[in-house]
Amino acid sequence: MVKCCSAVGCASRCLPNSKLKGLTFHVFPTDENVKRKWVLAMKRLDVNAVDTWEPKKGDVLCSRHFKKTDFDRSAPNIKLKPGVIPSIFDSPSHSQGKRQKLHCRKNFTLKALPVTNHNHQLVGASSCIEEFQSQFI
């Protein structure tokens, strides 16, 4: 299974030629304090909860999210220096006040509830749906 970078918006994948391109992948630290700092630096939210995302075993970050000075290049294998925190991330659009197109599963369908007035008659249901959809496009 190909590992992908866990950073939001990063398309880096760990492929056989990644290292030749200078791209390395790093597992999350086992030290809970340092791991928490990595997660907070990523500013990634958990879509299934109202909290920050939690990395699972095998989740990785690519070298694009670290400064050049964060690496120990003295050994044959490039490693991160102890205690280093990733610091290079594209700001998520929600923090910049921009609208973001949502990517939904293919089998997801939007179903609108009917809108009624005080006399329980349907009113403007299609305009409500269009307004709702415009928030996500």
Side-chain angles (χ1 to χ4, degrees):
M1 185 170 165
V2 176
K3 291 189 179 196
C4 299
C5 182
S6 297
V8 174
C10 185
S12 296
R13 299 167 60 110
C14 188
L15 300 171
N17 64 346
S18 296
K19 211 171 203 178
L20 295 173
K21 294 179 179 180
L23 192 61
T24 56
F25 291 82
H26 307 275
V27 295
F28 283 76
T30 54
D31 179 293
E32 288 299 321
N33 290 327
V34 179
K35 180 170 43 171
R36 174 67 35 215
K37 289 177 183 178
W38 278 38
V39 170
L40 292 174
M42 291 173 63
K43 297 179 181 149
R44 178 174 171 173
L45 299 176
D46 188 342
V47 295
N48 298 317
V50 290
D51 204 358
T52 56
W53 171 83
E54 285 295 324
K56 293 174 183 52
K57 184 179 179 182
D59 284 340
V60 295
L61 276 182
C62 75
S63 53
R64 292 180 175 156
H65 305 290
F66 296 90
K67 296 180 272 186
K68 289 181 182 181
T69 57
D70 291 342
F71 294 94
D72 177 2
R73 299 177 189 278
S74 63
N77 290 332
I78 298 171
K79 297 187 325 183
L80 288 170
K81 293 177 182 175
V84 164
I85 310 300
S87 58
I88 303 170
F89 295 98
D90 290 332
S91 297
S93 61
H94 63 80
S95 67
Q96 296 174 353
K98 295 180 184 176
R99 288 187 177 167
Q100 177 182 2
K101 185 173 183 177
L102 295 179
H103 299 281
C104 299
R105 292 180 292 210
K106 290 180 181 178
N107 62 351
F108 178 80
T109 54
L110 179 65
K111 293 182 180 178
L113 296 174
V115 179
T116 61
N117 63 13
H118 295 291
N119 296 329
H120 303 289
Q121 296 172 327
L122 288 175
V123 273
S126 62
S127 65
C128 291
I129 294 168
E130 291 168 4
E131 180 181 331
F132 180 78
Q133 288 175 329
S134 71
Q135 294 176 6
F136 297 101
I137 297 176

